[in-house]
Amino acid sequence: MTLPILAVTIGDVAGIGPEITAKSLLGHDDVRTRCVPVVIGDEAAMRRGVLNVGGDQAAIRVIANVADARNEPGTIELLQTGPSLEHVEQGVLSAAAGDASYRFVVEACRLARAGEVQGIVTAPLNKAAMHAGGHNWPGHTELLAHEFGVKNFSLVLSAGDLYFFHLTTHVSMRQAIENITIERTLSVLELAGAFAKSMGKPDELIGLAGLNPHAGENRLFGNEDADVLAPAVAEARARGLNVVGPLPGDALIPATIRGKYNLAVVCYHDQGHAPFKAVYGDDGVNITVGLPVVRVSVDHGTAFDIAGQGIAREASLVLSLERAAALAPGWDHVWRAAQAA
């Protein structure tokens, strides 16, 4: 079987991205039995990352094309993308690093559109640095959607068979409430249903969390649950989706973690991220559903406070590589289902 080739972007080089990339590719050779990882980044930053974790810089092999990758154990095969970042200081917000993190993602998308890679795995970028570098995207997810020209997509946190879809992500609470419309809610419910169908589970139960405490408590705590979420659920059910809700978030999320639901849809960033990270930590990943190519990311940030110390844990990036490798061969089914939705 031909192994999927994965473009691995190293994120913000002032953070822990190069270090966890070095640990993942030099310390977990079993990953190479599942995929061919090709790093999209900067040689100087990657060399420093290797040194920070006690590795040998000779492990880095700069290649000119994806096709040149040999996937040999103990190596890091890297495509140099843009000018050297040797001058970037670790642990300090940098416009140059932010610009580069954007550039790495754009190059990975180009390779995916050209069919040279079958998946994208991303180390964390820093949103403030990316903005300082002149690229005003809320985060990876929105940038990826733009590069692939898709409108219906969702950030999905996953651990094992559990998936948390999000109606909104990197916006203020005020903006999140404005963005939660019947149309957006219905589109994400359909996206979740399409994802389940592509996985061979067309009748999978989908739980939708309420926006307000107690899902509004019959309008005592707001009207959005009754006026926006409930009509979207009714329409989704009319279209054949097995959806329930809106349910109080403090009831739905614990029930999901206990296994009552495998698919849950939450309304805003922290409603999903806070409990997910509290429970799963390094055992979770971030998947973007709605793209024509699989994209999996770590579920943590750039950790400027520990960058350069070699102590950052690579577990989430290793898991991201494994999940992307597992999903890539069948991702066309996910993409077609998302388009149909």
Side-chain angles (χ1 to χ4, degrees), residues 1 16 19 22 35-36 41 67 76 83 104 107 115 118 130 142 210 221 226-227 232 239 242 246 273 320 329:
M1 182 179 67
I16 61 172
E19 296 175 43
C35 66
V36 180
I76 297 173
F104 301 155
E107 175 63 10
Q118 288 72 57
M130 183 169 63
E142 297 82 2
F221 309 131
D227 292 343
R239 297 184 185 187
N242 188 12
H273 279 63
S320 296

Side-chain angles (χ1 to χ4, degrees), residues 221-292:
F221 309 131
N223 297 319
E224 293 87 358
D225 295 275
D227 292 343
V228 177
L229 301 183
V233 169
E235 178 59 27
R237 291 183 64 83
R239 297 184 185 187
L241 295 176
N242 188 12
V243 182
V244 294
L247 302 173
D250 61 356
L252 171 68
I253 292 173
T256 301
I257 290 170
R258 289 195 296 267
K260 183 174 181 179
Y261 306 91
N262 285 331
L263 294 180
V265 178
V266 297
C267 289
Y268 54 91
H269 184 280
D270 285 11
Q271 189 179 44
H273 279 63
F276 183 89
K277 291 184 177 182
V279 174
Y280 297 106
D282 290 340
D283 293 327
V285 297
N286 175 351
I287 305 170
T288 307
V289 174
L291 302 180

